[in-house]
């Protein structure tokens, strides 16, 4: 994501459900024959692709596929193989539907229908809404601190975790942006950036959870807590991007970080009797239940709405509630410090 959402947590854990191993659909001999025929002829049934016209050396006759598309469409990167896979998948699913069979996955993905070249349009739209909600939450947090609550004489806030929540907001918006890009077009680099953004968000929320739960306010102590975790996250992200995109390892790392911060936030809210602890508990428990959608996955309704898209939709109210808790916490701490100073 990443809360993910408490919102970071639930966002990054959404990556855990992705599996790219061979699936029932792409291992079907008829599907494989369709792909082979398409790459040779450039056609699936009556549908033909000009960038599948290959010369004897295997290169497109009319030049690279990306030079054959209008400039505004080249970002899609739909080449001969991906177009063949997509239209063979549609043909297979149409045949399966006619005999009453249920949809199956192809190359680890459900059979989604494109809209203007966008691979998963509903997930993209919902990711954009989550991005907007993150921005709204961060902006309202900023306005509360600097324009509604009292400030110190040097114009700094009384709330000790202001900077950390600003960083969180930036990482959360970044993660949702790249999640939307990834769902628009699943290629190697969008997948890596999406995973990396989600891991960074999840890792930072673990740091934030530790610092807030143990009330770490000294800068030196914060560095001592954050430095090893940042070093680990950096190493992990570099490993995923430049050595091996290991889904199993990434799942383990995200799961450990996610469970750790879930426990921290839940126990801390109960022990401290925070006045807005119910909001935190709703986000944590509700988000955890929503994650069951990732476990009990179902195929996309009419080729558009799958379990992951529904989870994206549920993340929107959780994001609102999460930032509401953050604002309540900042107000609670500010008033407590002012009362103590009198």
């Amino acid at each position: 994501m990443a809360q993910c959402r408490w919102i970071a947590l639930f966002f990054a854990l959404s990556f855990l459900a992705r599996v790219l191993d061979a699936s029932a659909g792409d291992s079907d001999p008829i599907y494989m024959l369709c792909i082979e025929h398409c790459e040779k002829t450039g056609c699936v049934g009556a549908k033909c692709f000009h960038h599948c016209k290959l010369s004897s050396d295997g290169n497109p006759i009319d030049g690279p596929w990306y030079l054959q598309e209008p400039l505004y469409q080249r970002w899609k990167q739909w080449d001969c193989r991906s177009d063949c896979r997509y239209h063979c998948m549609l043909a297979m699913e149409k045949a399966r539907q006619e005999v009453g069979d249920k949809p199956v996955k192809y190359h680890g993905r459900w059979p989604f229908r494109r809209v203007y070249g966008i691979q998963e349009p509903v997930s993209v739209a919902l990711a954009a809404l989550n991005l907007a909600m993150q921005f709204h939450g961060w902006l309202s947090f900023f306005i509360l601190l600097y324009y509604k609550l009292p400030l110190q004489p040097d114009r700094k806030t009384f709330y000790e975790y202001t900077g950390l929540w600003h960083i969180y907001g930036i990482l959360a918006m970044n993660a949702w942006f790249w999640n939307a890009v990834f769902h628009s077009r699943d290629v190697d680099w969008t997948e890596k950036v999406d995973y990396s953004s989600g891991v960074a968000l999840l890792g930072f929320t673990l740091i934030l959870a530790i610092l807030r739960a143990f009330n770490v306010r000294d800068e030196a102590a914060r560095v001592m807590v954050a430095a090893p975790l940042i070093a680990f996250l950096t190493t992990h992200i570099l490993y995923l991007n430049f050595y091996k995109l290991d889904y199993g390892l990434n799942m383990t790392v995200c799961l450990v970080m996610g469970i750790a911060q879930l426990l921290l936030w839940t126990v801390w809210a109960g022990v401290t009797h925070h006045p807005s602890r119910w909001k935190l508990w709703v986000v944590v428990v509700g988000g955890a239940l929503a994650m069951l959608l990732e476990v009990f996955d179902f195929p996309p309704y009419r080729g558009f709405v799958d379990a992951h898209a529904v989870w994206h939709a549920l993340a929107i109210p959780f994001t609102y509630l999460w930032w509401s808790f953050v604002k309540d916490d900042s107000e609670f701490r500010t008033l407590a410090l002012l009362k103590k100073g009198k």
Side-chain angles (χ1 to χ4, degrees):
M1 186 346 170
Q3 311 156 339
C4 222
R5 265 76 57 199
W6 79 109
I7 262 78
L9 170 64
F10 306 130
F11 176 87
L13 287 180
S14 67
F15 302 111
L16 305 185
R18 298 175 190 156
V19 182
L20 295 180
D21 296 331
S23 306
D26 55 89
S27 60
D28 191 311
I30 300 177
Y31 173 80
M32 291 188 286
L33 286 173
C34 178
I35 296 293
E36 183 180 351
H37 175 76
C38 176
E39 291 181 346
K40 288 180 179 179
T41 65
C43 298
V44 176
K47 182 73 174 179
C48 296
F49 323 108
H50 53 80
H51 46 260
C52 280
K53 297 176 183 177
L54 306 178
S55 61
S56 58
D57 59 0
N59 295 317
I61 294 174
D62 298 327
W65 62 268
Y66 51 82
L67 295 180
Q68 302 168 28
E69 297 280 2
L71 182 62
Y72 69 92
Q73 291 183 340
R74 292 179 189 174
W75 64 272
K76 297 181 300 182
Q77 295 191 19
W78 292 113
D79 56 11
C80 178
R81 170 165 291 187
S82 58
D83 268 337
C84 286
R85 285 182 173 182
Y86 175 70
H87 288 282
C88 283
M89 175 194 74
L90 292 183
M92 290 289 295
E93 285 304 304
K94 182 179 180 181
R96 292 179 62 84
Q97 186 178 19
E98 289 175 351
V99 297
D101 289 340
K102 294 182 179 180
V104 294
K105 290 186 176 183
Y106 298 80
H107 307 283
R109 311 290 183 191
W110 285 117
F112 287 95
R113 289 186 173 274
R114 300 180 195 166
V115 175
Y116 296 109
I118 297 176
Q119 196 164 327
E120 299 176 39
V122 174
S123 289
V124 171
L126 291 172
L129 284 175
N130 274 287
L131 171 59
M133 288 300 300
Q134 288 287 355
F135 177 74
H136 174 270
W138 170 78
L139 184 61
S140 60
F141 172 69
F142 180 89
I143 293 172
L144 173 67
L145 284 175
Y146 291 98
Y147 294 97
K148 295 183 179 180
L149 293 177
L151 296 173
Q152 300 182 47
D154 58 359
R155 301 296 297 171
K156 291 184 178 180
T157 65
F158 284 95
Y159 187 51
E160 312 96 320
Y161 304 95
T162 299
L164 294 172
W165 285 116
H166 284 326
I167 296 173
Y168 164 79
I170 293 170
L171 289 175
M173 288 185 282
N174 174 73
W176 277 117
F177 172 79
W178 288 112
N179 185 256
V181 172
F182 172 73
H183 286 297
S184 297
R185 182 69 175 97
D186 174 9
V187 293
D188 183 63
W189 73 269
T190 60
E191 181 179 40
K192 287 181 177 179
V193 176
D194 182 37
Y195 270 70
S196 299
S197 300
V199 170
L201 177 59
L202 183 58
F204 184 78
T205 52
L206 175 59
I207 295 172
L208 186 52
I210 294 172
L211 298 180
R212 185 65 187 95
F214 293 99
N215 201 25
V216 181
R217 288 175 284 180
D218 181 71
E219 290 300 326
R222 287 185 174 185
V223 171
M224 291 177 65
V225 171
L229 288 171
I230 291 174
F232 171 77
L233 286 170
T234 303
T235 303
H236 180 63
I237 290 172
L238 289 173
Y239 178 87
L240 294 177
N241 282 274
F242 300 106
Y243 183 71
K244 181 183 179 182
L245 189 55
D246 191 325
Y247 301 100
L249 174 64
N250 192 55
M251 179 183 294
T252 302
V253 170
C254 290
L255 188 61
V256 171
M257 292 193 298
I259 292 175
Q261 54 192 295
L262 267 177
L263 292 174
L264 278 170
W265 283 117
T266 305
V267 173
W268 169 78
V271 171
T272 60
H273 299 288
H274 195 283
S276 296
R277 59 187 178 275
W278 70 269
K279 294 181 180 180
L280 183 59
W281 285 341
V282 169
V283 172
V284 170
V285 175
L289 292 175
M291 281 305 301
L292 293 176
L293 289 168
E294 298 286 2
V295 178
F296 300 103
D297 196 12
F298 58 82
Y301 177 71
R302 295 186 179 275
F304 294 108
V305 181
D306 68 335
H308 189 69
V310 174
W311 182 87
H312 273 57
L314 292 175
I316 296 172
F318 291 147
T319 301
Y320 178 85
L321 199 59
W322 174 246
W323 275 109
S324 178
F325 163 77
V326 174
K327 289 184 287 185
D328 289 349
D329 186 54
S330 64
E331 190 170 2
F332 170 71
R333 285 296 302 160
T334 298
L335 296 179
L337 290 172
L338 288 173
K339 185 177 180 181
K340 185 178 179 181
K342 292 181 179 180

